[in-house]
Amino acid sequence: MTTDIRTPLPVRRPAPALLQPPRPRRRRGRWGAQIFLTAVSLAFLAPLLLAVYASLRPYQETAQYGYFSWPRELSFEYYRRAFTESGMGKYFVNTLIITVPAVIVTLFLAAFVAFAVSRLRLRGGLVLLVFFTAGNLLPQQVIATPLYVLFNRIPLPWWMSDSLTMYDSYWAVIVVNIGFQLGFCVFVLANFMRTLPQEILEAAVVDGAGVWTQFWCVTLPLCRPALAALATLEFTWIYNDFLWALIFISDPDKLPITSSLNNLRGQFFTDYNLLAAGSVLVALPTVLVFLLLQRHFIAGLTLGSTKG
């Protein structure tokens, strides 16, 4: 009786190179992208930082040593002068009278149209969406003259306009901003509402919810990130508008905040450090709005980035 003794096969050991942890190959690419983005950010922030730096220095110092020289004296005197000499308090109120209603009405109407186009499956909904989007392609300067003639012929009661027409009133600037900003908001909200699960509305219909309940209680709360992002953008765009107020308002006491900077320019001499301080004060409300809505704004911009 023989015994079959088999020798064990030699175990193949992996090569030493395979035992080493994989080296990150994309680290250089990430460092390059970070350096590039940092450089672009600094390039965009450079004018703002230079304006803040100049607003803290006396004009005589910058005229003698240059704007890029080391400061000898820093103070907030120019900010006090810019606010008092330009009458910014009155212009801030005028801007809020124009901007706040325009933003609210624009988002409210855009949400209505976007809901009808994207969720109710109306016939011709795509054509309607293209129509609203195409309105953004129209140059604003083309219809400035027709709107000027039209607003002079639209009567308003005395408690709505001192001129008894839409011209030289806040209503003209509000209506124009709503008309031009509505298409963009409809396009954004319609595409966002299409990403919402259809089962949510179907469950609401089963529970007896009407169209208004589906819009106000179900769809609109889910659109809060998109609405916050649009509110930030629209407030910034309408707040910084200067063209329409200059065309449709003739009373200097009704002009928005962007026109107050002209009061800081002298007839024969302009203190650019004082003008820089006024520009920083004008930009502060938009920065404040962004800081208040920053979390929702970033959430609205990153929607859909993790899907797929």
Side-chain angles (χ1 to χ4, degrees):
M1 184 174 181
T2 61
T3 305
D4 188 8
I5 301 176
R6 299 180 180 180
T7 59
L9 296 176
V11 179
R12 294 183 179 180
R13 297 181 179 181
L18 299 179
L19 296 177
Q20 298 178 358
R23 297 179 180 179
R25 299 179 179 178
R26 298 182 180 180
R27 182 171 298 177
R28 294 181 180 179
R30 292 179 180 178
W31 277 106
Q34 292 179 0
I35 294 174
F36 174 75
L37 293 177
T38 302
V40 172
S41 302
L42 291 177
F44 276 95
L45 289 176
L48 177 61
L49 296 178
L50 181 61
V52 174
Y53 181 56
S55 65
L56 298 174
R57 303 177 62 188
Y59 180 79
Q60 293 77 9
E61 181 180 314
T62 55
Q64 181 178 0
Y65 301 103
Y67 284 95
F68 296 97
S69 60
W70 187 258
R72 273 74 173 175
E73 179 184 353
L74 298 176
S75 66
F76 292 94
E77 176 64 20
Y78 274 137
Y79 288 95
R80 185 193 63 81
R81 289 182 53 190
F83 188 83
T84 56
E85 294 181 9
S86 64
M88 282 190 180
K90 173 181 60 179
Y91 293 108
F92 269 125
V93 175
N94 296 341
T95 303
L96 293 178
I97 293 175
I98 296 173
T99 305
V100 174
V103 172
I104 294 176
V105 175
T106 300
L107 295 181
F108 189 70
L109 295 179
F112 264 120
V113 179
F115 178 77
V117 170
S118 61
R119 309 301 291 181
L120 297 183
R121 298 178 181 178
L122 297 177
R123 292 184 178 180
L126 181 60
V127 178
L128 184 63
L129 180 60
V130 172
F131 174 77
F132 274 94
T133 306
N136 293 328
L137 305 178
L138 180 67
Q140 300 180 1
Q141 295 81 2
V142 172
I143 63 172
T145 302
L147 287 177
Y148 176 84
V149 176
L150 179 64
F151 289 161
N152 274 283
R153 297 182 180 180
I154 297 178
L156 290 179
W158 62 269
W159 52 273
M160 294 182 64
S161 174
D162 298 335
S163 62
L164 301 180
T165 61
M166 186 171 285
Y167 176 74
D168 195 21
S169 67
Y170 299 121
W171 300 101
V173 184
I174 292 174
V175 169
V176 170
N177 281 307
I178 291 174
F180 274 100
Q181 302 299 333
L182 191 60
F184 173 75
C185 294
V186 169
F187 176 77
V188 173
L189 288 177
N191 286 278
F192 174 75
M193 289 182 183
R194 284 183 178 144
T195 63
L196 300 178
Q198 186 66 27
E199 292 78 8
I200 297 178
L201 284 184
E202 293 176 355
V205 172
V206 171
D207 293 337
V211 176
W212 174 257
T213 305
Q214 297 175 35
F215 168 74
W216 188 259
C217 299
V218 180
T219 304
L220 208 58
L222 298 176
C223 298
R224 185 174 60 180
L227 290 173
L230 285 176
T232 307
L233 294 175
E234 293 299 324
F235 183 88
T236 304
W237 292 340
I238 298 176
Y239 179 90
N240 291 327
D241 176 69
F242 179 71
L243 174 65
W244 296 122
L246 190 65
I247 295 175
F248 299 132
I249 294 181
S250 60
D251 188 357
D253 294 332
K254 297 180 181 179
L255 291 175
I257 188 63
T258 51
S259 62
S260 66
L261 297 178
N262 288 330
N263 299 335
L264 300 177
R265 302 175 64 93
Q267 184 177 2
F268 303 102
F269 169 75
T270 300
D271 190 340
Y272 291 101
N273 294 27
L274 179 62
L275 193 62
S279 302
V280 174
L281 288 177
V282 169
L284 283 180
T286 57
V287 176
L288 180 61
V289 170
F290 175 78
L291 292 178
L292 292 177
L293 300 177
Q294 180 181 9
R295 181 170 60 89
H296 300 290
F297 179 75
I298 296 176
L301 294 180
T302 57
L303 287 172
S305 60
T306 57
K307 294 181 180 180

